[in-house]
Amino acid sequence: MQTNNPPRNTIRLTRRGRLVLIATGAVVAGTAVAVPLLTREGNGDTRPTSLVIPEGWRASQIYAAVDKALALPPGSTRKSLPKANLKLPNDARGNPEGYLFPATYPLPEKATPESLLSAMTENAGRKFNGAPIAAGAQRNAMNVYQAVTIASLVQAEAATKADMGKVARVVFNRLERGMPLQMDSTVNYALNRGKERTTENDTRIDSPYNSYQRMGLPPTPIDNPGVDAMRAAISPTPGDWLYFVTVKPGDTRFTASYAEHRRNVAESDARRRGGKPAR
């Protein structure tokens, strides 16, 4: 059991580890320009034959990638959603974020945005609804959609594959203690931007994705996680951690102590500035 928690307006959680005050939260998903990974045929044929969707891409990036792969005007894939008839859980309410499974997809001559999005969501359904994912979600007293949402946070926040289970455990520990998640990744999602450093002003946006102000999980996944992140979400590493910060590449520090976390943050900030931590 945790006692003597620091005031909520000083708690800070994210791998960038900046200490900021909490305020309010904006809406919606999105991100920076997507660069689709296309495989092309040889013999001078420039037509792409497959499209690679990396782990952690947001739906907006995938829509842009499909548009480019199929040589369609920007926005075409997003506009196709109503007629795509995607197989999504009821909790998704028609939003495929989290269910556009990262993989390599063939691009036949008759490929359409609808066919590609359907292939992605059907792939996600096969991965997520069978064992062990569904059983793991149930074991942790959550449904699959919640597990996908946690996996999306893990995908966005973990600096390495080795850190994924620990990040997932931090999410669970904070939820169990009634603490806000306070993750930069959710604020960046609300602001429709990449992995930028979150400022105090950023945390004042009015959004259901503002995990500095809103309790619990964000209303939807914030990206499309891969298998490793899903495994971490259903089988988090045992531990009592509540905070984490990447001090330097390859050195992400997890702790249950707020005082220790502040020291780690100070070291991280000092390294970023090229100086020594203040004492």
Side-chain angles (χ1 to χ4, degrees):
M1 175 182 295
Q2 177 171 342
T3 59
N4 299 322
N5 288 335
R8 280 187 179 175
N9 67 343
T10 61
I11 297 172
R12 180 70 172 96
L13 167 70
T14 191
R15 59 190 171 107
R16 284 167 291 285
R18 297 272 304 163
L19 287 170
V20 294
L21 299 178
I22 303 178
T24 11
V27 121
V28 112
T31 189
V33 176
V35 179
L37 306 178
L38 305 173
T39 302
R40 299 180 183 275
E41 294 179 344
N43 302 321
D45 189 344
T46 59
R47 185 183 70 82
T49 57
S50 62
L51 172 63
V52 179
I53 303 300
E55 296 176 350
W57 266 17
R58 299 176 187 169
S60 58
Q61 289 176 288
I62 295 172
Y63 300 152
V66 173
D67 286 343
K68 185 170 183 178
L70 300 182
L72 297 172
S76 297
T77 299
R78 185 186 295 273
K79 292 177 182 177
S80 75
L81 283 174
K83 56 183 178 180
N85 194 28
L86 302 178
K87 296 179 180 178
L88 298 168
N90 291 335
D91 288 344
R93 299 182 180 180
N95 181 354
E97 191 75 87
Y99 281 76
L100 300 174
F101 194 79
T104 299
Y105 295 92
L107 295 174
E109 290 284 354
K110 295 183 179 180
T112 64
E114 296 89 341
S115 66
L116 286 173
L117 294 178
S118 293
M120 294 175 197
T121 55
E122 288 172 6
N123 196 5
R126 288 191 293 271
K127 300 285 187 182
F128 298 160
N129 294 327
I133 301 298
Q138 186 176 22
R139 185 174 63 248
N140 286 283
M142 58 183 173
N143 61 32
V144 171
Y145 192 73
Q146 291 169 322
V148 175
T149 301
I150 291 175
S152 74
L153 298 174
V154 170
Q155 189 76 64
E157 291 282 344
T160 66
K161 177 181 174 181
D163 289 339
M164 286 183 169
K166 291 183 177 180
V167 172
R169 176 56 64 188
V170 170
V171 172
F172 277 96
N173 287 347
R174 283 193 159 235
L175 292 174
E176 289 171 358
R177 287 163 175 75
M179 299 171 68
L181 294 181
Q182 295 186 309
M183 290 187 166
D184 286 359
S185 55
T186 64
V187 173
N188 286 331
Y189 187 81
L191 290 171
N192 190 24
R193 68 185 189 186
K195 296 181 178 180
E196 299 181 26
R197 292 171 63 181
T198 298
T199 66
E200 178 181 346
N201 188 58
D202 291 337
T203 66
R204 294 193 177 105
I205 61 172
D206 181 16
S207 170
Y209 292 93
N210 184 354
S211 63
Y212 284 84
Q213 285 297 305
R214 307 297 178 96
M215 300 297 294
L217 294 174
T220 72
I222 61 170
D223 58 47
N224 293 275
V227 171
D228 291 331
M230 283 299 300
R231 288 173 178 163
I234 62 170
S235 298
T237 306
D240 60 354
W241 311 293
L242 293 171
Y243 314 93
F244 62 95
V245 59
T246 296
V247 175
K248 60 183 178 180
D251 182 11
T252 298
R253 300 179 189 176
F254 294 79
T255 181
S257 164
Y258 181 63
E260 182 179 353
H261 179 64
R262 286 179 63 90
R263 292 192 293 271
N264 292 337
V265 168
E267 183 175 345
S268 175
D269 287 346
R271 285 181 177 276
R272 188 181 296 114
R273 294 190 304 266
K276 294 182 178 180
R279 293 185 181 276

